[in-house]
Coordinates of all heavy atoms in Angstrom, one line a residue:
R75 N 53.7 64.0 143.7 CA 53.6 64.8 142.5 C 54.6 64.3 141.5 O 55.6 63.6 141.8 CB 53.8 66.3 142.7 CG 55.2 66.6 143.1 CD 55.3 68.1 143.5 NE 56.7 68.4 143.8 CZ 57.0 69.6 144.3 NH1 56.1 70.6 144.5 NH2 58.3 69.9 144.6
L76 N 54.4 64.6 140.2 CA 55.3 64.3 139.1 C 55.5 65.6 138.3 O 54.5 66.3 138.0 CB 54.8 63.2 138.2 CG 54.8 61.8 138.8 CD1 54.2 60.8 137.8 CD2 56.2 61.3 139.2
I77 N 56.7 66.0 138.0 CA 57.0 67.2 137.2 C 57.4 66.8 135.8 O 58.2 65.9 135.7 CB 58.1 68.0 137.9 CG1 57.6 68.4 139.3 CG2 58.4 69.3 137.1 CD1 58.7 69.2 140.1
C78 N 56.8 67.4 134.9 CA 57.1 67.1 133.5 C 58.6 67.4 133.1 O 59.2 68.4 133.7 CB 56.2 67.9 132.5 SG 56.5 67.6 130.8
L79 N 59.1 66.6 132.3 CA 60.5 66.8 131.9 C 60.7 67.9 130.9 O 61.8 68.5 130.8 CB 61.1 65.5 131.3 CG 61.1 64.3 132.2 CD1 61.6 63.1 131.3 CD2 62.1 64.5 133.3
K80 N 59.7 68.3 130.2 CA 59.8 69.4 129.2 C 59.1 70.7 129.5 O 59.4 71.7 128.8 CB 59.1 68.8 127.9 CG 59.8 67.6 127.3 CD 59.1 67.1 126.0 CE 59.8 65.9 125.5 NZ 59.2 65.4 124.2
C81 N 58.4 70.7 130.6 CA 57.7 72.0 131.0 C 57.5 72.0 132.5 O 57.7 70.9 133.2 CB 56.4 72.2 130.3 SG 55.1 71.0 130.8
P82 N 57.1 73.1 133.1 CA 56.9 73.1 134.6 C 55.6 72.5 135.1 O 55.2 72.8 136.2 CB 57.1 74.6 134.9 CG 56.6 75.3 133.7 CD 57.1 74.4 132.6
S83 N 55.0 71.8 134.2 CA 53.7 71.2 134.6 C 53.8 70.2 135.7 O 54.8 69.4 135.8 CB 53.0 70.5 133.4 OG 51.8 70.0 133.8
I84 N 52.9 70.2 136.7 CA 52.9 69.3 137.9 C 51.6 68.5 137.8 O 50.5 69.0 137.7 CB 52.9 70.1 139.2 CG1 54.2 71.0 139.2 CG2 52.9 69.2 140.4 CD1 54.3 71.9 140.4
S85 N 51.8 67.2 138.0 CA 50.7 66.2 138.0 C 50.6 65.4 139.3 O 51.7 65.2 139.9 CB 50.8 65.3 136.8 OG 50.8 66.0 135.6
H86 N 49.4 65.0 139.6 CA 49.3 64.1 140.7 C 49.9 62.8 140.4 O 49.8 62.3 139.3 CB 47.8 63.9 141.1 CG 47.2 65.2 141.6 ND1 46.2 65.8 141.0 CD2 47.5 65.9 142.8 CE1 45.8 66.8 141.7 NE2 46.6 66.9 142.8
L87 N 50.6 62.2 141.4 CA 51.2 60.9 141.2 C 50.1 59.8 140.9 O 50.3 58.9 140.1 CB 52.1 60.5 142.4 CG 52.8 59.2 142.3 CD1 53.8 59.1 141.1 CD2 53.6 58.9 143.6
A88 N 49.0 60.0 141.6 CA 47.9 59.1 141.5 C 47.2 59.2 140.1 O 46.6 58.2 139.6 CB 46.9 59.3 142.6
C89 N 47.3 60.3 139.4 CA 46.6 60.5 138.2 C 47.5 60.0 137.0 O 46.9 59.7 135.9 CB 46.3 62.0 137.9 SG 45.2 62.7 139.1
S90 N 48.8 59.8 137.2 CA 49.6 59.4 136.1 C 49.8 57.9 136.1 O 49.8 57.2 137.1 CB 51.0 60.1 136.3 OG 51.9 59.6 135.3
S91 N 49.9 57.4 134.9 CA 50.2 55.9 134.8 C 51.6 55.6 135.0 O 52.0 54.5 135.2 CB 49.7 55.5 133.4 OG 50.4 56.2 132.4
S92 N 52.5 56.7 134.9 CA 53.9 56.5 135.1 C 54.3 56.9 136.5 O 53.8 58.0 137.0 CB 54.7 57.3 134.1 OG 56.1 57.2 134.4
S93 N 55.0 56.1 137.2 CA 55.4 56.4 138.6 C 56.9 56.9 138.6 O 57.4 57.1 139.7 CB 55.3 55.2 139.5 OG 56.1 54.1 139.0
S94 N 57.5 57.0 137.5 CA 58.9 57.4 137.4 C 59.0 58.8 137.1 O 58.5 59.3 136.1 CB 59.7 56.5 136.4 OG 61.0 57.0 136.2

Side-chain angles (χ1 to χ4, degrees):
R75 69 185 183 187
L76 291 175
I77 300 177
C78 180
L79 296 176
K80 298 181 180 180
C81 72
S83 179
I84 300 175
S85 301
H86 293 117
L87 182 61
C89 296
S90 175
S91 58
S92 175
S93 60
S94 176

